Amino acid sequence: MLWMEPVSVNNLRFETAVMGEDLEDVVPMMPQGKSSGSVLPYVGVACLGAILFGYHLGVVNGALEYLARDLGIAENTVLQGWVVSTLLAGATVGSFTGGALADKFGRTRTFQLDAIPLAIGAFLCATAQSVQTMIIGRLLAGIGIGISSAIVPLYISEISPTEIRGALGSVNQLFICIGILAALVAGLPLSGNPLWWRTMFGIAVVPSVLLAIGMIFSPESPRWLFQRGKIVEAEKAIKTLCGKERVAEVMQDLTASCQGNVEPEVGWFDLFSSRYWKVVSVGAALFLFQQLAGINAVVYYSTSVFRSAGIESDVAASALVGTANVLGTTVASSLMDRQGRKSLLLISFGGMAASMLLLSLSFTWNVLAPYAGSLAVIGTVLYVLSFSLGAGPVPALLLPEIFASRIRAKAVSLSLGMHWISNFVIGLWFLSVVNKFGISSVYLGFASVCLLAVLYIAGNVVETKGRSLEEIERALNPAI
């Protein structure tokens, strides 16, 4: 149980605005007494999708050399690149698909459907006898993690009580980090058993099956049920998640958010209309800044940076980065509902800018040459810590909070699509840009992006802590 410090209602304010417009203060409905419901087991089941997200992203790093040798592509870097990047291409498709599936079939059923490409993809990768089968398996796994990237934060935000939604939402990013670390640990036996890479991919079948089974017993999102007119089922889900004493309160909130709203479900092109584009663009921009800020570049170069400081073990370097990521995300989880989402974003991108500047100077400033290796390691660890405090966990949490219920699933998918597309493009062109301009200049460019992100967030992102999804929706859309 999380203990919440008593808060005076008079002191609760809706702190900021989207696109510079003031928001009306809305008095939140705070729970009274101890709840008889429990959301944690169902958040845990959903986070199996987050673990698989991180695991499939990280598993190929240690396994690539061995699978390339086994499949006869050790000298073919192009096909090796396809094995790596096909996952990102599949994830882009999956992220756009996830929202439509979640709207049509519901959140829990979409999780069960998602387990199919996740399990089949892992199985094909584990049993592949040709590079073609491996690529198909990676594509299916990518579709699976793309769907997961959209529906895990969506489902968690819709089933979580207001007062702990931030902490539970950031658990998504924490479990992604755990999945990446799990892939690192799974690769430890490779040096003694070159065929172990098949087991590494095969392991992912287990959580995929557990995800499908777990969702059979998990309640559907009350908000989705309410929008579909399934009032009795919505009340039952609220009772399971929040306790019977909060059913009337949450149903009242849901009813208030839908008063006067008899519009049909929006289509994809409606997201670009003047009514929705301002808030949708905030979501897309957050993920664009997240990727353009250089997190993948820092992780990619971390091994060489650590070697320059005398840390020769790749596993030790990866473990240090992974540990910093998990540590920062854990701290963010504890601060999310106290410090607020916007504050953490500003602190995070500010720290990333300073870390990038330190990294850039460590490579170019002659005065720092005697300490270059140590400063580069410090800059890398501080960057990862800063990223995991806000830029990593907050966007996926904030998006389902600021999007109106009728556009939530599709808008989250669109924003996640921006994440995967920019991730793919950066991965494709990053080395070429480094070769042309040098890593120091590239790091300086990343620092500039981080500073731009700080300015953008300060002027455009809304603070959502302590507000129910319906309260946020009514404040951002006064006409509702």
Side-chain angles (χ1 to χ4, degrees):
M1 294 291 294
L2 292 178
W3 179 80
M4 298 301 297
E5 188 173 332
V7 180
S8 170
V9 172
N10 293 329
N11 291 332
L12 288 168
R13 307 278 299 176
F14 208 36
E15 296 185 11
T16 160
V18 171
M19 298 299 163
E21 298 177 6
D22 293 334
L23 299 176
E24 293 184 44
D25 295 337
V26 183
V27 178
M29 292 184 294
M30 300 299 288
Q32 303 295 325
K34 184 179 180 181
S35 172
S36 60
S38 179
V39 71
L40 296 181
Y42 311 113
V43 170
V45 173
C47 281
L48 287 171
I51 290 175
L52 286 164
F53 181 158
Y55 189 84
H56 279 294
L57 281 177
V59 70
V60 75
N61 292 336
L64 184 61
E65 175 187 347
Y66 299 90
L67 73 85
R69 196 183 308 152
D70 203 21
L71 299 179
I73 59 170
E75 304 300 323
N76 193 329
T77 56
V78 174
L79 284 179
Q80 290 181 39
W82 275 102
V83 170
V84 174
S85 60
T86 302
L87 184 85
L88 300 179
T92 303
V93 174
S95 65
F96 284 113
T97 306
L101 291 174
D103 274 343
K104 184 174 180 61
F105 299 109
R107 294 12 174 179
T108 55
R109 183 61 58 85
T110 301
F111 272 112
Q112 292 173 303
L113 294 173
D114 184 32
I116 296 173
L118 285 169
I120 294 176
F123 177 79
L124 289 178
C125 290
T127 58
Q129 299 300 320
S130 67
V131 68
Q132 290 85 356
T133 303
M134 172 60 71
I135 289 174
I136 293 172
R138 291 284 286 172
L139 180 65
L140 288 173
I143 291 172
I145 68 169
I147 295 174
S148 293
S149 69
I151 61 173
V152 172
L154 176 66
Y155 180 70
I156 292 176
S157 71
E158 290 187 339
I159 69 171
S160 297
T162 300
E163 65 274 13
I164 57 171
R165 190 178 62 240
L168 293 181
S170 59
V171 166
N172 172 48
Q173 180 68 20
L174 177 61
F175 275 89
I176 292 173
C177 299
I178 290 172
I180 295 172
L181 275 179
L184 170 67
V185 173
L188 292 177
L190 274 171
S191 57
N193 182 4
L195 294 179
W196 179 256
W197 68 267
R198 295 187 180 276
T199 304
M200 291 172 64
F201 283 101
I203 289 172
V205 174
V206 177
S208 303
V209 174
L210 291 176
L211 177 64
I213 295 173
M215 279 297 159
I216 295 174
F217 304 100
S218 299
E220 182 54 80
S221 162
R223 289 167 174 84
W224 183 83
L225 291 170
F226 188 88
Q227 289 166 2
R228 295 286 165 164
K230 300 179 180 181
I231 307 302
V232 175
E233 289 150 316
E235 290 176 341
K236 183 179 178 182
I238 294 167
K239 182 179 178 181
T240 300
L241 295 165
C242 304
K244 61 183 179 181
E245 64 278 359
R246 294 191 65 182
V247 172
E249 172 192 325
V250 177
M251 287 299 295
Q252 181 183 359
D253 212 10
L254 289 170
T255 302
S257 72
C258 292
Q259 282 180 349
N261 175 26
V262 293
E263 299 175 73
E265 187 174 304
V266 299
W268 284 101
F269 289 107
D270 294 319
L271 299 180
F272 300 95
S273 67
S274 58
R275 179 176 183 180
Y276 297 122
W277 175 242
K278 282 187 177 181
V279 70
V280 171
S281 66
V282 170
L286 284 178
F287 275 109
L288 188 61
F289 279 125
Q290 183 193 69
Q291 293 303 304
L292 292 180
I295 180 61
N296 292 323
V298 168
V299 173
Y300 180 88
Y301 266 91
S302 62
T303 301
S304 60
V305 166
F306 292 150
R307 281 177 180 169
S308 70
I311 302 175
E312 297 295 335
S313 171
D314 292 355
V315 173
S318 299
L320 189 56
V321 171
T323 301
N325 205 355
V326 170
L327 177 62
T329 305
T330 303
V331 173
S333 297
S334 66
L335 294 176
M336 201 70 70
D337 289 306
R338 289 184 291 169
Q339 190 72 23
R341 286 65 151 156
K342 182 173 182 177
S343 297
L344 288 178
L345 280 174
L346 292 172
I347 293 169
S348 177
F349 277 105
M352 290 159 64
S355 302
M356 277 294 185
L357 183 60
L358 178 60
L359 280 167
S360 179
L361 292 176
S362 70
F363 284 108
T364 56
W365 206 1
N366 293 332
V367 177
L368 299 176
Y371 318 102
S374 299
L375 288 175
V377 170
I378 292 171
T380 298
V381 173
L382 286 178
Y383 178 90
V384 174
L385 276 172
S386 298
F387 175 85
S388 60
L389 277 175
V394 171
L397 165 66
L398 189 66
L399 266 55
E401 294 182 325
I402 64 174
F403 293 146
S405 56
R406 74 181 70 86
I407 69 166
R408 186 171 293 140
K410 289 186 176 67
V412 168
S413 291
L414 179 66
S415 300
L416 263 297
M418 178 64 70
H419 163 89
W420 290 113
I421 291 172
S422 56
N423 195 334
F424 180 80
V425 170
I426 290 170
L428 193 63
W429 292 102
F430 174 68
L431 287 179
S432 300
V433 173
V434 169
N435 291 334
K436 183 173 182 179
F437 297 103
I439 187 62
S440 179
S441 298
V442 172
Y443 279 160
L444 201 58
F446 287 144
S448 301
V449 171
C450 292
L451 290 176
L452 286 175
V454 169
L455 296 175
Y456 180 85
I457 291 163
N460 296 281
V461 173
V462 61
E463 182 56 75
T464 60
K465 69 173 181 178
R467 296 292 181 270
S468 73
L469 299 183
E470 287 68 39
E471 289 166 350
I472 296 167
E473 179 174 344
R474 291 198 298 273
L476 294 177
N477 300 274
I480 292 177

